[in-house]
Amino acid sequence: MNYKRSSHVLLLLVFFCLLPISVLAEEKKEESIYDKRMALYKKTEALTEIPWYYIAAVDQYERQIYKDIKDDQVISIRIPPELWFGPGNTSVDIKAIQIFGGIGKDGNGDKKADPNNGEDALLTMASFIQKYGYNEDDFKIALWNYYKRDLTVQTIKNTARVFKKYNGINLTDRDFPVAIKYNYSYRNTWGDRRGFGGNRIHEGTDIFADYGTPVHSTTYGVVELKGWNLYGGWRIGIRDIFNIYHYYAHLSGYQDGIEVGQIVKPGDVLGSVGSTGYGPPGTSGKFPPHLHYGMYKDNGYSEWSFDPYPYLKRWERMAKSKK
């Protein structure tokens, strides 16, 4: 009996000793992927003089628009084959690509321009941008000529600004959208019917709280929109570095200094809970005070809403763990 009990105790000790090691290994793995990316961005910057945060922002954008990107994939930029190789060419030989008018470059010194090689892809994209110049306006022009989509240009430009401000790409912190030291409640209201303005579904989660409860940014991003909306009242929209638009509605007011184009981080106060909306500017009190929080994903072609509830539960745990 004592032998069995000792065996069980020994097994438990082994389990708890190994658990932190596995957690640390996972954290180290996550850090290493960011380190590898940053090293390649800085190398490409040295070769082209294009700021690393421009290159990183393009790579970050493309990482979000492809469904088959693996978690351990270092670089995600994909350049169309006809642009990379030139019309009628399929050879990765540098001279052949030049003859056929392709833009593919050799980034790792193997005398080949392979679109599946991350260093080659980074140098090719940076060289494309380089043709237009080195400042922010030149960068916008280069992006427009490559993607030909205003929202894409704006998203990448703003992501570059965030990376530059925080001097890094490993920006994974999050916060709950309502200050957790206040009283609040919420449940999954995704897809519920709404009657005002015609039959429509509820594209978000309602977080009920008292008037004046602080509303926080949940993520790193840039304020894309601010002002009155017939349905949402005083609302604010933030585009994050993962091509996701975060929508905060029914605010009673905004935090002083919050403006369109401002860079925000998790925990920054955006405004306060209210009950505005369902009418012309200034309409308030047609429903109990709450924050409507919505999330919208962009894939480079279109944008759609998705259920924020699972993310809110995760971010709530993260916020409480910091107390």
Side-chain angles (χ1 to χ4, degrees):
M1 188 70 179
N2 290 336
Y3 172 77
K4 289 183 178 180
R5 188 174 301 158
S6 299
S7 298
H8 292 159
V9 171
L10 181 61
L11 286 172
L12 285 172
L13 286 172
V14 171
F15 173 77
F16 284 113
C17 286
L18 290 178
L19 181 61
I21 295 174
S22 64
V23 171
L24 288 172
E26 187 63 30
E27 290 178 354
K28 186 175 181 180
K29 178 183 177 182
E30 183 177 341
E31 290 174 358
S32 68
I33 195 77
Y34 289 105
D35 291 340
K36 289 177 182 177
R37 287 171 184 159
M38 183 61 84
L40 291 179
Y41 299 152
K42 291 292 184 71
K43 175 185 175 182
T44 307
E45 178 186 53
L47 292 172
T48 63
E49 298 185 355
I50 297 298
W52 70 264
Y53 42 85
Y54 287 171
I55 303 163
V58 174
D59 186 42
Q60 175 74 356
Y61 176 81
E62 299 226 340
R63 186 168 296 108
Q64 312 309 316
I65 64 176
Y66 299 115
K67 295 181 179 180
D68 59 344
I69 297 293
K70 297 178 181 178
D71 291 340
D72 60 350
Q73 187 166 325
V74 180
I75 302 301
S76 303
I77 290 174
R78 294 180 180 178
I79 295 173
E82 64 276 11
L83 187 59
W84 182 283
F85 296 107
N89 178 43
T90 58
S91 173
V92 296
D93 180 74
I94 288 295
K95 292 183 179 179
I97 289 173
Q98 291 174 346
I99 291 171
F100 282 87
I103 68 169
K105 302 291 184 184
D106 172 20
N108 64 350
D110 65 357
K111 303 186 185 308
K112 298 177 182 179
D114 182 357
N116 297 313
N117 180 279
E119 292 185 65
D120 292 357
L122 284 178
L123 182 59
T124 300
M125 177 58 73
S127 298
F128 177 86
I129 296 170
Q130 187 184 41
K131 292 189 303 182
Y132 295 87
Y134 300 89
N135 64 38
E136 187 171 326
D137 288 337
D138 298 330
F139 183 48
K140 288 170 61 178
I141 294 170
L143 293 176
W144 169 251
N145 280 286
Y146 186 81
Y147 292 102
K148 294 182 169 53
R149 183 172 182 253
D150 288 334
L151 181 57
T152 296
V153 173
Q154 177 176 291
T155 298
I156 296 175
K157 178 178 71 71
N158 285 338
T159 297
R161 292 178 57 217
V162 174
F163 286 164
K164 180 183 180 182
K165 178 170 182 176
Y166 295 105
N167 194 32
I169 56 174
N170 188 5
L171 305 177
T172 56
D173 189 24
R174 294 292 181 270
D175 196 14
F176 194 66
V178 166
I180 59 172
K181 67 180 181 180
Y182 290 74
N183 293 322
Y184 64 88
S185 65
Y186 69 107
R187 62 181 181 84
N188 194 347
T189 54
W190 170 259
D192 289 357
R193 289 179 64 107
R194 289 292 182 266
F196 182 81
N199 289 327
R200 54 197 176 92
I201 69 165
H202 189 241
E203 295 182 347
T205 295
D206 288 337
I207 305 173
F208 290 88
D210 293 333
Y211 285 104
T213 300
V215 172
H216 292 175
S217 172
T218 59
T219 184
Y220 292 92
V222 175
V223 177
E224 187 173 287
L225 180 147
K226 172 190 171 188
W228 183 266
N229 176 274
L230 176 66
Y231 303 126
W234 298 119
R235 87 313 197 194
I236 191 167
I238 293 170
R239 181 84 53 181
D240 74 9
I241 61 175
F242 298 96
N243 299 8
I244 295 174
Y245 180 78
H246 302 254
Y247 177 71
Y248 307 75
H250 308 313
L251 303 177
S252 62
Y254 300 105
Q255 180 75 359
D256 290 344
I258 290 291
E259 299 295 342
V260 171
Q262 181 175 338
I263 296 173
V264 296
K265 66 181 184 303
D268 282 353
V269 178
L270 306 175
S272 53
V273 170
S275 61
T276 59
Y278 285 20
T283 301
S284 181
K286 289 193 172 184
F287 40 77
H290 68 278
L291 172 71
H292 170 95
Y293 183 80
M295 296 174 70
Y296 298 78
K297 177 68 176 176
D298 175 60
N299 66 355
Y301 301 96
S302 60
E303 190 174 67
W304 68 94
S305 62
F306 62 96
D307 186 3
Y309 184 78
Y311 298 89
L312 291 173
K313 297 298 289 185
R314 185 187 314 156
W315 298 341
E316 183 181 32
R317 292 192 296 270
M318 291 175 67
K320 288 182 176 179
S321 69
K322 299 174 188 176
K323 290 181 64 178

